[in-house]
């Protein structure tokens, strides 16, 4: 029998080696077709008297990424369509659909023949759940092997037996930790937890897996043996009495109750360990069906998986442009940003010339890469040899002639129009005619800067976020005259350095910083109202933000806010800045020298390590303080999220951002906008535009005009539209 996704070879010992190798895919994933084939294979193996046991492995460098999340997304579509037809029957049908994979793995483990999973590379989600259903698991000790159940990161949870098998193999605490964080395990860690039986050299993987069968591996799982007890003895033990009362509190501390998928893991494990295995699977299936119907799961899968993948693959790339090749890239300005841009470029295998005003400054920029390489080598993420090759790609110099043959120049000099003009002219005096020029400016409109260029059609913004080597987002900014080739080149570059791009039309602050600015401004309002600073910071984290607004302001520098205010007043007039905000920031910067984290003091004090940062006590004296018990935290949470989402809606209305996927992905990758919402616009769509508009009106009445819903929102509310419905994922401009 032949299969599309698997090959089977049975050796002289009667051991069938099944190799999973999906044609035309870089990684194996579970699709409906793969499940159908595996189902057939299980039947064949069980019926074939000549087969004693099975080893399943992958023909690719990784084992598998797990379930194809587009398949999960299709379950949402199915559910929505079914709900419209038959509300009562829809959940039942979804329940049947979600049980498919779990039932398949249960069939595998009870088919009567021993199965061993030979984990040769990354093994995630559904693929590890299948491995858990195998009677033996052998992992390679290669550094590339990562084992994880990461479903919680996209709002769901391991729903194909994972929540039942993991705590029957590992102790409950480790099991919960693994599944509620989605963390990756090495083969050795998985073995220490009891999740794999052996870890071997890559070349020994298949022989070791076959040997397990030859050594008489029983085709019965421990939980199907009489008298089975989970590690640690299950729920009703003294150790469990320590663990279980604390577990929901710990989860709440980590997630503020915002992730129903994470809570469902606790419920599945706690309830499942008290019942026979098959009942446990049924409990898991029920919770899974429920979680699949949550707005959180829907929005997270759409933004964090589907959209992110689509944007990464060039969803916004103009058609008909040949793929850009980068023989050499020049980075001009080897300071804080330029040095790290050179590093990520060299790490992608591209030669870089790194230019600054003098050799010393350029060398200093390259030394940043040397430090990053040393760190990566120290942590075992990079070999010494690869580190040296990476560094050899960066040529520091003060000589502009070195960029003559660059295909792309990224300018990262001081944020000063005059300096940028002078540098642009100097670059273009030597740069080849067809090269693309990109500026990393964070505040100066690209159209204005392109005025310094002789070739504005080849001029574009490539806006990185700091720290460049960690931040996955890059904003690509289109000036008025930016052409398609410049856009395609910028997107090809972002893809080459393996980051996610969003394409934004030109405006002050672009997209991400406009939103971040609203977040910080709302916190200023709260401080001025006398809300204690600690409550503001906690409310933000409870709303799902990774960093409180005051802490964030310290990171980006309080004097930067001050400079931006002053620039706005100079360019747009005094009405462009709230005078109370100006007064607050002036007091901090000029009155107190509180410039932010870099100065050791801002909204927080930063004592020498290991002491932790603490909110500056002097904040209490700036404004009469409200009593903590008088503050409504739920309103603070709403204000912080709504003000950002409203700004995102404005950028859509103005045609700055044109595709809801970019607004959502940009908000999560750019500043960690409450990921459980799926991003700024999914937050609005998720509650409904009418509900959001009403909420804005309520907040506007109490907290100011900046909450007033925009004409577009009102129109959408009256028509019952959503952002995704109206704008699709196509990048169309607002009407
Ligand atoms: P920086 O001051 O650390 O670095 C600027 C570098 O440019 C310095 O090394 C300086 O010597 C060099 N330089 C100045 N004039 C030059 C010239 N004529 N020729 C060659 N080199 C010259 O500044 P930064 O924080 O790296 O910012 C650089 C750019 O990146 C700015 O446009 C800024 O707005 C933007 N940006 C900064 C951040 C951030 O978080 N700091 C984030 C995104 C974008």
């Amino acid at each position: 029998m032949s299969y599309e996704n698997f090959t089977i070879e049975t050796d002289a010992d009667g051991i069938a080696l099944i190799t999973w190798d999906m044609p035309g895919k870089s990684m194996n994933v579970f699709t409906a077709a793969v499940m159908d084939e595996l189902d057939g294979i299980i039947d064949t193996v069980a019926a074939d008297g000549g087969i004693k046991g099975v080893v399943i492995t992958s023909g690719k460098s990784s084992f598998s990424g797990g379930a194809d999340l587009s398949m999960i997304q299709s379950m949402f579509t199915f559910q929505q369509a079914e709900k419209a037809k038959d509300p009562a029957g829809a959940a039942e049908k979804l329940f049947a659909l979600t049980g498919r994979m779990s039932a398949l793995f249960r069939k595998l483990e009870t088919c009567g023949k021993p199965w061993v999973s030979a984990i040769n590379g990354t093994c995630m989600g559904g693929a590890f759940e299948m491995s858990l259903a195998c009677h033996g698991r052998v992992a390679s000790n290669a550094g590339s092997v990562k084992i994880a159940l990461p479903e919680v990161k996209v709002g769901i949870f391991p729903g194909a037996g994972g929540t039942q098998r993991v705590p029957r193999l590992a102790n409950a605490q480790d099991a919960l930790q693994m599944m509620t964080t989605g963390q990756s395990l090495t083969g050795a860690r998985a073995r220490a937890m009891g999740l794999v039986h052996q870890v071997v050299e890559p070349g020994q993987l298949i022989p070791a897996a076959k040997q397990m069968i030859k050594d008489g591996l029983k085709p019965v799982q421990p939980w199907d043996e009489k008298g089975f007890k989970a590690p640690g003895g299950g729920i009703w033990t003294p150790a469990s009495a320590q663990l279980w009362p604390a577990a929901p509190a710990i989860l709440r501390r980590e997630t503020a109750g915002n992730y129903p998928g994470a809570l469902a893991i606790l419920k599945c494990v706690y309830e499942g360990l008290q019942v026979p295995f098959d009942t446990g699977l049924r409990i898991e299936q029920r919770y899974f069906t429920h979680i699949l119907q949550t707005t959180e799961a829907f929005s997270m899968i759409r933004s964090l998986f589907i959209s992110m993948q689509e944007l990464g693959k060039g969803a916004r790339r103009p058609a008909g442009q040949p793929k850009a090749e980068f023989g050499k890239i020049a980075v001009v300005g080897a300071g804080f940003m330029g040095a790290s841009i050179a590093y990520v470029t060299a790490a992608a295998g591209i030669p870089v010339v790194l230019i600054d005003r003098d050799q010393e400054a350029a060398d200093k920029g390259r030394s940043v890469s040397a430090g990053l390489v040393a760190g990566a080598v120290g942590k075992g993420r990079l070999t010494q040899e690869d580190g040296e090759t990476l560094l050899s790609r960066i040529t520091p110099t003060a000589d502009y002639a070195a960029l003559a043959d660059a295909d792309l120049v990224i300018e990262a000099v001081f944020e000063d129009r005059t300096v940028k003009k002078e540098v642009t002219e100097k670059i273009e005096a030597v740069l080849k005619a067809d090269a693309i020029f990109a500026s990393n400016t964070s505040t100066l409109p690209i159209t204005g800067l392109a005025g310094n260029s002789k070739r504005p059609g080849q001029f574009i913004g490539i806006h990185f976020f700091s720290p460049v080597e960690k931040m996955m987002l890059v904003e690509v900014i289109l000036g008025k005259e930016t052409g398609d080739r410049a856009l395609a080149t910028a997107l090809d570059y972002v893809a080459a350095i393996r980051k996610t791009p969003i394409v934004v039309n030109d405006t002050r602050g672009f997209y991400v910083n406009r939103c971040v600015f609203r977040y910080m401004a709302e916190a200023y309002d709260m401080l001025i109202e006398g809300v204690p600073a600690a409550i503001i910071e906690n409310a933000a984290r409870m709303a799902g933000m990774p960093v409180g607004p005051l802490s964030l302001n310290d990171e980006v520098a309080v004097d930067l806010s001050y400079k931006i205010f002053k620039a706005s007043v100079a360019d747009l007039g005094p009405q462009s800045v709230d005078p109370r905000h100006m007064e607050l920031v002036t007091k901090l910067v000029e009155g107190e020298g509180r410039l932010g984290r870099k100065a050791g003091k801002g909204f927080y004090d930063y004592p020498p390590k290991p002491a932790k940062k603490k909110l500056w006590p002097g904040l209490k004296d700036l404004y009469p303080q409200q009593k903590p018990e008088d503050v409504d935290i739920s309103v603070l949470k709403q204000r912080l999220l709504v003000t950002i989402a409203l700004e995102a809606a404005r950028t859509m209305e103005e045609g700055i951002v044109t595709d809801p996927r970019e607004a959502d992905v940009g908000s999560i990758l750019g500043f960690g906008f409450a990921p459980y919402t799926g991003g700024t616009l999914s937050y609005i769509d998720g509650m409904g535009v009418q509900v959001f508009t009403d909420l804005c009106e309520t907040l506007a009445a109490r907290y100011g005009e900046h909450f007033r819903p925009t004409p577009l929102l009102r129109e959408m509310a009256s028509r019952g539209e959503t952002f995704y419905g109206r704008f699709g994922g196509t990048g169309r401009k607002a009407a």
Side-chain angles (χ1 to χ4, degrees):
M1 185 124 187
S2 79
Y3 301 92
E4 200 186 324
N5 301 296
F6 298 92
T7 54
I8 306 183
E9 263 174 88
T10 306
D11 66 13
D13 296 316
I15 299 175
L17 176 65
I18 300 180
T19 306
W20 184 8
D21 196 354
M22 296 173 81
K25 291 231 178 207
S26 58
M27 196 183 250
N28 294 322
V29 285
F30 273 105
T31 59
V34 167
M35 287 197 280
D36 287 345
E37 289 195 352
L38 186 59
D39 207 339
I41 290 172
I42 297 168
D43 288 335
T44 308
V45 167
D48 187 338
I51 294 180
K52 292 202 182 69
V54 180
V55 171
I56 182 161
T57 192
S58 153
K60 305 201 187 286
S61 60
S62 58
F63 187 88
S64 158
D68 181 359
L69 285 182
S70 337
M71 179 176 78
I72 306 256
Q73 209 200 22
S74 70
M75 290 187 191
F76 291 115
T77 327
F78 167 84
Q79 163 77 0
Q80 275 158 4
E82 286 295 317
K83 240 182 177 164
K85 282 191 274 172
D86 171 18
E92 216 167 294
K93 285 191 183 142
L94 186 65
F95 181 73
L97 206 61
T98 58
R100 168 92 212 269
M101 210 164 166
S102 190
L104 180 64
F105 297 164
R106 185 68 179 139
K107 176 173 169 176
L108 184 156
E109 75 181 357
T110 54
C111 79
K113 298 271 166 82
W115 283 63
V116 179
S117 173
I119 301 170
N120 60 312
T122 290
C123 181
M124 299 273 179
F128 188 55
E129 291 183 289
M130 178 190 73
S131 300
L132 290 169
C134 291
H135 308 91
R137 286 167 294 283
V138 186
S140 140
N141 65 4
S144 58
V145 172
K146 283 191 200 126
I147 293 173
L149 294 174
E151 290 85 345
V152 74
K153 292 184 179 171
V154 289
I156 52 176
F157 69 85
T163 67
Q164 299 309 303
R165 291 187 179 92
V166 174
R168 282 173 170 82
L169 291 165
N171 76 58
Q173 187 167 358
D174 286 349
L176 292 181
Q177 166 82 7
M178 176 194 186
M179 291 188 286
T180 56
T181 61
Q183 69 186 177
S184 287
L185 310 174
T186 59
R189 173 71 188 130
R191 183 167 191 278
M193 279 172 68
L195 297 179
V196 305
H197 299 94
Q198 289 181 43
V199 179
V200 299
E201 291 293 326
Q204 287 306 306
L205 190 65
I206 303 302
K210 288 188 169 179
Q211 193 59 45
M212 280 186 91
I213 295 172
K214 287 187 219 161
D215 289 346
L217 180 69
K218 258 175 116 177
V220 180
Q221 293 282 28
W223 40 89
D224 288 325
E225 301 266 21
K226 237 188 144 88
F228 168 77
K229 272 207 160 50
I235 298 292
W236 306 108
T237 63
S240 287
Q242 301 271 327
L243 171 69
W244 284 103
I250 293 169
L251 186 71
R252 200 167 177 86
R253 186 187 65 198
E254 300 301 322
T255 64
N258 289 323
Y259 293 84
L263 185 61
I265 292 171
L266 256 61
K267 294 178 179 176
C268 288
V269 175
Y270 184 76
E271 293 172 30
L273 281 181
Q274 303 182 52
V275 294
F277 187 73
D278 283 308
T279 315
L281 287 181
R282 220 165 159 73
I283 288 172
E284 180 189 80
Q285 195 181 340
R286 285 216 175 114
Y287 280 119
F288 196 69
T289 308
H290 167 70
I291 291 299
L292 269 189
Q293 296 174 72
T294 60
T295 308
E296 288 85 348
F298 175 77
S299 305
M300 284 177 83
I301 288 182
R302 182 170 64 187
S303 293
L304 293 168
F305 182 76
I306 311 269
S307 300
M308 212 181 276
Q309 220 174 42
E310 288 168 355
L311 296 178
K313 282 187 183 158
R316 293 294 313 279
R317 199 179 181 285
Q321 291 294 330
K323 188 169 184 294
E325 301 292 339
F326 301 105
K328 188 197 244 183
I329 284 180
V331 178
V332 182
F336 179 64
M337 295 301 284
S340 309
I341 296 170
Y343 172 77
V344 297
T345 307
I350 305 170
V352 191
V353 281
L354 181 57
I355 297 183
D356 208 296
R357 288 177 292 186
D358 50 47
Q359 186 66 41
E360 198 187 330
D363 287 343
K364 195 168 157 231
R366 185 178 181 271
S367 69
V368 169
S369 290
L372 289 168
V373 163
V377 171
K379 285 187 188 136
R381 290 202 193 122
L382 203 65
T383 64
Q384 185 74 36
E385 200 189 342
D386 288 347
E388 278 161 21
T389 311
L390 188 163
L391 284 177
S392 73
R393 294 191 192 110
I394 305 176
T395 311
T397 178
D399 182 6
Y400 278 64
L403 60 71
D405 56 345
D407 303 297
L408 169 69
V409 178
I410 302 170
E411 169 277 303
V413 300
F414 297 142
E415 189 74 335
D416 178 300
R417 282 196 178 94
T418 320
V419 177
K420 293 220 191 265
K421 179 171 187 323
E422 191 189 300
V423 167
T424 307
E425 286 164 0
K426 253 172 113 175
I427 292 171
E428 288 193 352
V430 284
L431 190 62
K432 64 179 179 182
D434 61 351
I436 301 299
F437 190 116
S439 175
N440 178 47
T441 179
S442 39
T443 55
L444 304 171
I446 291 299
T447 307
L449 291 180
N452 301 324
S453 168
K454 286 195 231 100
R455 17 178 146 155
Q458 288 160 237
F459 198 100
I460 195 161
I462 298 186
H463 182 218
F464 284 88
F465 296 89
S466 120
V468 175
E469 61 285 2
K470 292 209 178 111
M471 294 292 286
M472 291 311 297
L473 184 74
V474 175
E475 268 180 316
V476 173
I477 320 292
L478 299 177
K480 269 213 173 70
E481 295 186 53
T482 304
D484 276 359
R485 198 169 65 79
L487 174 58
T489 305
L491 292 177
D492 290 347
Y493 168 67
V494 177
I497 58 170
R498 289 183 286 276
K499 297 198 186 284
T500 306
I502 60 169
V503 181
V504 177
N505 286 311
D506 205 10
T507 181
R508 193 175 276 267
F510 311 133
Y511 170 65
V512 167
N513 285 346
R514 267 181 69 164
C515 292
V516 168
F517 206 68
R518 291 299 338 149
Y519 181 48
M520 298 191 303
E522 199 56 31
Y524 296 164
D525 275 0
M526 292 172 182
L527 277 177
I528 292 163
E529 290 161 23
V531 178
I535 297 187
I536 301 173
E537 295 287 88
N538 282 335
R541 280 189 296 267
M542 288 163 75
M545 300 298 288
V547 182
L550 303 176
S551 180
L552 184 65
N553 204 162
D554 274 0
E555 294 297 328
V556 301
V558 188
D559 63 325
L560 182 66
S561 305
Y562 184 48
K563 279 186 202 148
I564 292 173
F565 279 162
K566 286 205 292 193
S568 297
V569 170
D571 293 352
L572 309 170
Q575 79 293 343
S576 64
V577 177
D578 184 330
R580 301 164 315 146
H581 293 183
M582 184 62 125
E583 192 194 6
L584 167 62
V585 171
T586 310
K587 235 186 245 174
L588 272 139
V589 173
E590 289 200 343
E592 302 284 342
R594 296 196 153 266
L595 310 185
R597 188 191 175 93
K598 61 180 178 184
K601 52 183 189 171
F603 288 100
Y604 285 78
D605 281 325
Y606 297 86
K609 282 189 172 163
K612 284 192 176 154
K613 68 178 182 184
K614 267 202 176 129
L615 278 161
W616 174 43
L619 284 174
K620 289 196 191 82
D621 304 323
L622 294 181
Y623 304 98
Q625 296 289 285
Q626 293 183 32
K627 284 200 217 115
E629 58 271 31
D630 293 342
V631 178
D632 185 340
I633 299 227
S634 61
V635 175
L636 298 188
K637 283 162 61 181
Q638 273 175 345
R639 285 171 65 181
L640 291 168
L641 297 188
V642 168
T643 193
I644 299 172
L646 198 45
E647 190 67 13
R650 284 188 199 106
T651 64
M652 289 293 290
E653 187 156 2
E654 293 165 23
I656 301 302
V657 177
T658 54
D659 184 325
R661 294 175 297 181
E662 294 180 303
D664 276 345
V665 170
S667 69
I668 297 178
L669 293 187
F671 53 95
F673 184 83
Y676 65 91
T677 62
T680 44
L681 298 184
S682 284
Y683 172 67
I684 301 177
D685 277 0
M687 74 173 81
V689 177
Q690 182 67 59
V691 174
F692 180 76
T693 307
D694 292 345
L695 181 57
C696 289
E697 291 287 8
T698 311
L699 293 174
R702 268 200 77 181
Y703 301 103
E705 279 307 302
H706 61 288
F707 278 113
R708 198 67 68 195
T710 65
L712 173 70
L713 281 166
R714 287 212 186 94
E715 184 190 309
M716 287 173 61
S718 71
R719 295 189 190 172
E721 288 177 342
T722 60
F723 277 97
Y724 278 81
R726 178 170 173 132
F727 295 93
T730 59
R732 265 175 284 139
K733 283 208 173 206

